[in-house]
Amino acid sequence: MEKITVIVPVYNAEKYLRRCIESIMNQTYKNLEILVIIDGATDSSAFIMEEYEKEDSRIRIIQRENKGIFYTRIEGIKKATSDYIYFVDADDWIEQNAIETMYQYQEKYHANIVRCKNYYKDENEKIIKDHKVQYFEKKEFCNQIYTNLFGSYDFATIWNQLIDKRYFSELEKMDRCH
């Protein structure tokens, strides 16, 4: 089984961070590298993550000055040691078999990108949006991937996908543009 890097950008997320990190740590797919990028957080997010880092050797913390979600994600991609990247925002959590399911789709269909099912809940826990698992080849997706590093919430959101790291090969050019 391939190692998969999960990148978690964190900025003042102490309220949600434990649920997020525990959902990643408890995945049925175990061969994970969990990169937590503390983006200049001023709350107790860094302290919380230091506790988890002691508990789980797969967790690696990177602390930096605040530059925003775009640069935080780029730094995570650059530091990733695997061939596959998965993003989880610090205020989100993932189902226990999410990464395993996406990896199985990637293996079965030799997909470059696998987009997982996701849903949003309102304050009453009502599900208000739902997508099915999908898989893509580069030609169907690469034009949208960089735009969505910024954090937009359209069809190609970056946080619900297992992505072949090769599609981030133009990061040096991106750094110069932004």
Side-chain angles (χ1 to χ4, degrees), residues 104-163:
Q104 288 171 351
Y105 268 78
Q106 187 282 326
E107 286 287 295
K108 182 175 181 179
Y109 298 105
H110 305 286
N112 302 121
I113 297 154
V114 178
R115 181 174 184 246
C116 73
K117 179 179 178 180
N118 67 83
Y119 52 88
Y120 305 88
K121 292 183 179 182
D122 65 14
E123 60 278 353
N124 298 316
E125 297 292 310
K126 178 183 173 191
I127 296 174
I128 56 176
K129 189 172 183 179
D130 190 11
H131 295 289
K132 303 295 182 215
V133 177
Q134 299 171 307
Y135 51 93
F136 304 92
E137 293 180 14
K138 185 177 180 183
K139 65 184 177 184
E140 298 173 282
F141 188 82
C142 69
N143 292 334
Q144 298 176 49
I145 196 83
Y146 294 121
T147 302
N148 288 286
L149 282 169
F150 288 104
S152 65
Y153 295 98
D154 63 359
F155 171 76
T157 52
I158 195 116
W159 45 256
N160 66 338
Q161 297 165 70
L162 179 63
I163 303 168

